[in-house]
Amino acid sequence: MIAKVIVDVPSRQTDRPFDYAVPRDMEPWIEPGSRVGVPFGGRVLQGFVIGLADESEFDAKRIKPVAELLDPVPPLLPDLIELARWMSDKYVCTWIAALQAMVPSALKGKAERFVTLSNEAPDDNGALSGLPEELLQWLNKDGGVKLDVLLGRFPHYAGAVKQALKAGMLEEKTSIHDRVGIRKVLTVYPPEGSSDPERLFASLPARAGKQRELLAYILRNNEPIPLQRLLAEAGGSAGSVRALADKGLVTIREEESKRDPYAGREFKRTEPLPLTPGQQDVYGRIAGAVESPEPKVMLLHGVTGSGKTEVYLQAIHHCLTLGKQAIVLVPEISLTPQMVERFKGRFGDAVAVMHSRLSHGERYDEWRKIRSGAVQVAIGARSAVFAPFERIGLIIIDEEHESSYKQEETPKYHARDVAVKRAKQHGAAVVLGSATPSLESYAAASRTSPGGESMLLPMPERVHGGPLPPVRIVDMRGELMSGNRSMFSRSLHQALEERLARGEQSVLLLNRRGYSTFVMCRSCGYSATCPHCDISLTYHRKSGVLRCHYCGHAEPLPASCPSCGSEHIRYFGTGTQRVEEELAKLFPGIRVIRMDVDTTSEKNAHEKLLKQFGDREADVLLGTQMVAKGLDFPYVTLVGVIAADTSLNLPDFRAGERTFQLLTQVAGRAGRHHLPGEVIIQTYAPEHYAIAAAQRHDYAAFLAEELKHRSLLAYPPYCRLVLVTMSHEQIGVLAPAAEQFAGELRALAGAAGYLGPLDGGRPKTMEVLGPTASPIAKMKDRYRFQCVIKYRGNIDISSMLRAASKPLMEAPAGRQAQISIDIDPQMIL
DNA sequence: AGCACGCCGACT
DNA sequence: GTCGGCGTGCTC
């Protein structure tokens, strides 16, 4: 049998299956989806079997055998192999990159090299004179010694070892080792068969009281038990258990243990809540789609507080009763304990939870619950879309507009698009849920389906019928003119004061990263920039250094201007740290919890801070985007947005959309329970439609206006985008390479008859913009150029990109510009 | 990506 | 005359 293997080398040259002979003893175990170790170019690498073939057709001489099988059960299923193929096509990435994205990182094995004494090596030391005695002692360990350990320990013998390997006195073996050890636990098994307890005890010496006790316990329990637990419950030492095992009375085996991060936590069972008529309608539509064998994508457009989650829960329940499985995708930041509790409370042990706060090992264990069929529901961030279920009935993507569904690293996939593809494979339903849907999804759902049925599921009312909180817009230009130079308007100042007096809570949003201040000299205009990147350095208060966001370069904050010597150095741009300081000044004694990247980097910090706030240990929760999502605290009656313009002013075509979404989301945090809420938005652009629409909670108005702009400037959803970024150390190499790429692409598009303005009447049109210098023109000492491609219609853009980038890859070494292709980019700036 | 094979400068 | 520099090219 021949295995077609994709090896773990992420390069275009090796991006194809290689053939390997399957040794007889592996034949029953190797399947498409198996992970194997294979010899490849003089070393052993990890790879995935994507198919099997008959031996006869292959040139046996050129084929090497599979070296090892790495898992008892193939980590991938056939549908995922096909999905990886689709991803590598669509996103222009290697096959292996797509496959690796689907398995937990614990399964990213790397080769380890071992050296052992060769069997043929003569025994007498004279013949091994090349090797010193101290080395020989090490090498005598069975199983051999890791090469890097050996060389680390005896660097001066590197030459001797190399020679001995060459001469055949030492042998080298390679095998794949998983990055995360699978935790092994010693488990004690009761005696097999129904042997007579009397006789078992009789075989114990009279003095072995402890062993007798242990055996009695094991027999009574009559179940396999982890050794540690046995010792804890029955007392005794590992030695006495070992003695029992030696007498053959019990068996000890090594078993893989499964970590359960939620072990020992009780989840209160929750019952389905009665649905409102609106919810009931939507539920019915989803349930119908789950039942139907046809794949369907639906957009659940529900205002904040409309009870989307309850609809999800009941739809999942319906899916499970049909014997199918469900995947729930949630933005990382919303995967809070409350969220997990809701799902665990309804479905108990049938849920696996995957999020980035789990260790590699824990995530692997959750993944195995899915793979083994122990659970039917997977809830997690982006990568949970690859949950290895065999019969998917429903995929839910909550807060579908969130940009975190797009992976920023290769493979640059969008979980929404992958979900739609996977649903097609399984005949499943996809439900996209949001109060502020992305324009792309909204446009797609509004197109009437072939059956004439709309895929839009509106839920315009809040469950408890309460109104959305009133939103006040404060024009900060007016504040400045009336002499208020503080970052707090008088309205917001007063509103905060009232909350403090009443003992209510406030949420303050500054939608700008915590440390986004830059440093400039007021005398000469000098500003600190990174020597390796074309970007200003940002000031880190905590460490007192200026740091580059892109390459990590750090330098001390200068006391005087390095350019003109002036001491008028000022910090510009307000970060959350500054607001925190200001709050303390304005409201002495105020208790503030700051939540941003700096304060939540520690494990569980996020959870801890929210719990503190929920326990009313603070008056104000101040933070970045992360305070806008999904929080639900009854005593929050004020939401303040300090500067709504920060995200509005980004030079990206989605700036308006982002701002509207953010403001709408954060406004939904106020007055969710019996206390009425209020929202205050400070801005320098009060007339901007994104802000005005957010004030009225008016998605339709925002949509209409935003669509006009998108249409006018030809942006999604009126076309699709690709961002191609090229980089090289020398601008003189990069510029012509980038031109060549763009030229090549234009030529291809022209030959196919696609080239032309997007507003032309043709169904298939594309435009190639650039190359131009990237917004960050230099990063990590490499210059960067970019091309933006806009296209409409069913164009195989990926193939064109591959073809156009080929000459770049084949350029002579040293003149090869690096190229990165981002399909449907999140930002083009 | 790595490792091997292959052609030109500082050493025994 | 050899050791080794790292520049191309292939890996079942």
Side-chain angles (χ1 to χ4, degrees), chain A residues 643-663:
Chain A
D645 318 72
T646 20
S647 68
L648 203 55
N649 288 334
L650 284 175
D652 186 75
F653 74 94
R654 266 188 259 261
E657 184 180 350
R658 289 262 158 69
T659 304
F660 176 76
Q661 286 165 350
L662 189 64
L663 295 179

Side-chain angles (χ1 to χ4, degrees), chain A residues 224-516:
Chain A
I225 181 171
L227 177 64
Q228 289 309 315
R229 222 180 78 208
L230 174 69
L231 298 180
E233 287 172 12
S237 66
S240 29
V241 182
R242 179 73 59 190
L244 284 172
D246 289 343
K247 297 190 184 76
L249 296 173
V250 300
T251 321
I252 302 179
R253 278 187 223 139
E254 266 195 349
E255 280 201 343
E256 288 186 14
S257 92
K258 297 199 175 156
R259 286 149 280 224
D260 182 356
Y262 298 98
R265 291 253 300 263
E266 290 286 317
F267 292 96
K268 220 167 92 198
R269 288 304 277 209
T270 63
E271 293 304 318
L273 304 169
L275 298 179
T276 65
Q279 284 176 311
Q280 188 63 50
D281 273 4
V282 168
Y283 166 77
R285 295 281 307 279
I286 299 173
V290 174
E291 279 167 26
S292 135
E294 291 301 310
K296 281 211 176 81
V297 183
M298 318 174 110
L299 177 62
L300 200 178
H301 180 201
V303 298
T304 50
S306 59
K308 290 191 286 286
T309 310
E310 185 58 34
V311 173
Y312 298 157
L313 288 167
Q314 297 195 21
I316 293 166
H317 182 259
H318 185 69
C319 176
L320 300 191
T321 60
L322 297 170
K324 300 183 191 176
Q325 295 104 35
I327 296 174
V328 185
L329 301 188
V330 183
E332 185 68 54
I333 206 75
S334 334
L335 201 51
T336 54
Q338 291 102 299
M339 188 78 171
V340 172
E341 216 159 292
R342 255 185 115 171
F343 278 83
K344 287 253 180 189
R346 191 68 59 88
F347 302 112
D349 291 336
V351 185
V353 183
M354 314 237 265
H355 57 84
S356 64
R357 290 294 183 218
L358 299 179
S359 71
H360 291 288
E362 286 170 333
R363 219 185 306 184
Y364 176 49
D365 292 340
E366 293 294 296
W367 178 87
R368 276 192 299 172
K369 287 189 204 162
I370 299 168
R371 180 67 184 89
S372 66
V375 300
Q376 281 72 50
V377 181
I379 172 167
R382 188 173 58 224
S383 64
V385 75
F386 301 117
F389 284 130
E390 299 190 46
R391 279 191 76 203
I392 299 170
L394 177 62
I395 304 177
I396 289 167
I397 305 186
D398 192 31
E399 310 286 350
E400 69 82 29
H401 60 276
E402 276 288 310
S403 58
S404 65
Y405 285 123
K406 180 81 199 279
Q407 172 144 305
E408 297 289 334
E409 304 83 45
T410 315
K412 301 182 177 182
Y413 68 91
H414 198 298
R416 187 212 294 139
D417 300 332
V418 175
V420 169
K421 172 68 185 170
R422 248 199 129 186
K424 271 191 193 138
Q425 294 178 313
H426 288 252
V430 176
V431 174
L432 308 173
S434 176
T436 53
S438 65
L439 297 205
E440 287 93 328
S441 296
Y442 199 91
S446 311
R447 267 176 237 134
T448 3
S449 76
E453 178 192 12
S454 169
M455 291 294 120
L456 206 52
L457 312 176
M459 291 212 310
E461 265 137 50
R462 292 190 134 187
V463 174
H464 301 298
L468 288 159
V471 177
R472 220 181 329 157
I473 305 284
V474 177
D475 186 346
M476 290 305 276
R477 292 169 306 188
E479 290 292 313
L480 202 60
M481 279 195 292
S482 42
N484 177 12
R485 300 187 58 182
S486 146
M487 63 183 82
F488 295 101
S489 62
R490 288 159 299 180
S491 311
L492 184 54
H493 188 279
Q494 193 194 333
L496 276 167
E497 223 159 36
E498 284 168 17
R499 296 308 175 305
L500 283 174
R502 291 207 295 260
E504 294 168 3
Q505 293 180 298
S506 309
V507 168
L508 289 180
L509 170 84
L510 183 61
N511 49 356
R512 166 188 273 176
R513 287 258 175 91
Y515 38 78
S516 276

Side-chain angles (χ1 to χ4, degrees), chain A residues 177-239:
Chain A
H177 262 240
D178 288 339
R179 232 204 287 158
V180 174
I182 291 156
R183 196 158 48 144
K184 292 275 174 33
V185 154
L186 292 174
T187 305
V188 183
Y189 282 76
E192 276 169 35
S194 52
S195 37
D196 182 11
E198 297 283 328
R199 278 190 33 210
L200 294 175
F201 283 112
S203 61
L204 282 176
R207 297 173 48 239
K210 204 66 231 179
Q211 291 180 42
R212 197 168 293 268
E213 249 175 67
L214 281 165
L215 184 61
Y217 186 90
I218 292 163
L219 289 174
R220 217 178 320 124
N221 198 38
N222 203 30
E223 258 182 18
I225 181 171
L227 177 64
Q228 289 309 315
R229 222 180 78 208
L230 174 69
L231 298 180
E233 287 172 12
S237 66

Side-chain angles (χ1 to χ4, degrees), chain A residues 740-755 766 768 800 804:
Chain A
Q740 189 192 11
F741 168 80
E744 201 80 33
L745 193 59
R746 283 195 187 97
L748 287 167
Y754 298 157
L755 211 56
M766 66 182 269
V768 181
M800 297 180 79

Side-chain angles (χ1 to χ4, degrees), chain A residues 459-753:
Chain A
M459 291 212 310
E461 265 137 50
R462 292 190 134 187
V463 174
H464 301 298
L468 288 159
V471 177
R472 220 181 329 157
I473 305 284
V474 177
D475 186 346
M476 290 305 276
R477 292 169 306 188
E479 290 292 313
L480 202 60
M481 279 195 292
S482 42
N484 177 12
R485 300 187 58 182
S486 146
M487 63 183 82
F488 295 101
S489 62
R490 288 159 299 180
S491 311
L492 184 54
H493 188 279
Q494 193 194 333
L496 276 167
E497 223 159 36
E498 284 168 17
R499 296 308 175 305
L500 283 174
R502 291 207 295 260
E504 294 168 3
Q505 293 180 298
S506 309
V507 168
L508 289 180
L509 170 84
L510 183 61
N511 49 356
R512 166 188 273 176
R513 287 258 175 91
Y515 38 78
S516 276
T517 45
F518 71 102
V519 177
M520 190 172 95
C521 167
R522 296 197 86 184
S523 303
C524 71
Y526 162 89
S527 74
T529 54
C530 176
H532 309 287
C533 309
D534 179 33
I535 198 91
S536 14
L537 294 173
T538 55
Y539 177 49
H540 278 237
R541 194 64 190 270
K542 216 169 169 185
S543 45
V545 294
L546 297 170
R547 188 163 305 217
C548 171
H549 212 70
Y550 293 90
C551 73
H553 167 85
E555 54 185 66
L557 180 71
S560 59
C561 174
S563 170
C564 71
S566 150
E567 281 172 17
H568 292 272
I569 295 210
R570 261 207 60 182
Y571 310 104
F572 286 83
T574 303
T576 39
Q577 291 182 344
R578 279 274 283 284
V579 179
E580 189 181 20
E581 262 179 31
E582 189 80 5
L583 278 170
K585 245 186 268 167
L586 293 172
F587 308 98
I590 195 170
R591 299 168 304 164
V592 179
I593 290 178
R594 180 160 63 88
M595 214 166 85
D596 55 31
V597 251
D598 296 326
T599 61
T600 53
S601 52
E602 260 173 67
K603 192 169 173 161
N604 296 331
H606 191 243
E607 189 178 327
K608 248 185 263 167
L609 293 176
L610 287 181
K611 182 170 185 310
Q612 275 176 28
F613 190 64
D615 292 344
R616 302 180 75 188
E617 289 171 27
D619 310 301
V620 174
L621 179 67
L622 160 68
T624 52
Q625 264 90 325
M626 57 181 84
V627 303
K629 315 277 153 72
L631 309 185
D632 192 351
F633 297 112
Y635 290 97
V636 171
T637 60
L638 173 67
V639 165
V641 179
I642 296 188
D645 318 72
T646 20
S647 68
L648 203 55
N649 288 334
L650 284 175
D652 186 75
F653 74 94
R654 266 188 259 261
E657 184 180 350
R658 289 262 158 69
T659 304
F660 176 76
Q661 286 165 350
L662 189 64
L663 295 179
T664 306
Q665 299 285 340
V666 75
R669 301 308 116 213
R672 291 175 71 92
H673 294 260
H674 54 286
L675 295 170
E678 182 189 16
V679 180
I680 295 178
I681 296 175
Q682 303 188 150
T683 175
Y684 288 93
E687 69 288 344
H688 192 284
Y689 62 90
I691 291 175
Q695 175 182 25
R696 301 193 309 270
H697 306 284
D698 191 345
Y699 179 80
F702 166 75
L703 181 76
E705 193 64 32
E706 182 71 18
L707 284 176
K708 261 193 247 164
H709 289 247
R710 300 280 181 97
S711 165
L712 209 62
L713 299 167
Y715 275 117
Y718 294 100
C719 69
R720 309 194 70 165
L721 295 176
V722 179
L723 176 68
V724 179
T725 306
M726 290 155 281
S727 71
H728 195 274
E729 286 161 30
Q730 296 162 43
I731 199 158
V733 173
L734 176 61
E739 286 296 348
Q740 189 192 11
F741 168 80
E744 201 80 33
L745 193 59
R746 283 195 187 97
L748 287 167

Side-chain angles (χ1 to χ4, degrees), chain A residues 797-808:
Chain A
I797 198 76
S798 307
S799 298
M800 297 180 79
L801 290 164
R802 266 179 209 274
S805 57
K806 220 174 157 206
L808 252 71

Side-chain angles (χ1 to χ4, degrees), chain A residues 135-198:
Chain A
L135 263 183
L136 287 173
Q137 276 179 5
W138 269 64
L139 289 164
N140 271 325
K141 290 182 183 170
D142 43 295
V145 183
K146 270 189 221 168
L147 184 62
D148 51 342
V149 171
L150 188 75
L151 293 182
R153 167 113 202 182
F154 305 108
H156 45 291
Y157 291 142
V161 170
K162 204 175 159 191
Q163 267 190 351
L165 280 167
K166 221 175 184 177
M169 280 187 287
L170 290 180
E171 267 178 8
E172 190 185 335
K173 282 187 186 143
T174 335
S175 77
I176 306 287
H177 262 240
D178 288 339
R179 232 204 287 158
V180 174
I182 291 156
R183 196 158 48 144
K184 292 275 174 33
V185 154
L186 292 174
T187 305
V188 183
Y189 282 76
E192 276 169 35
S194 52
S195 37
D196 182 11
E198 297 283 328

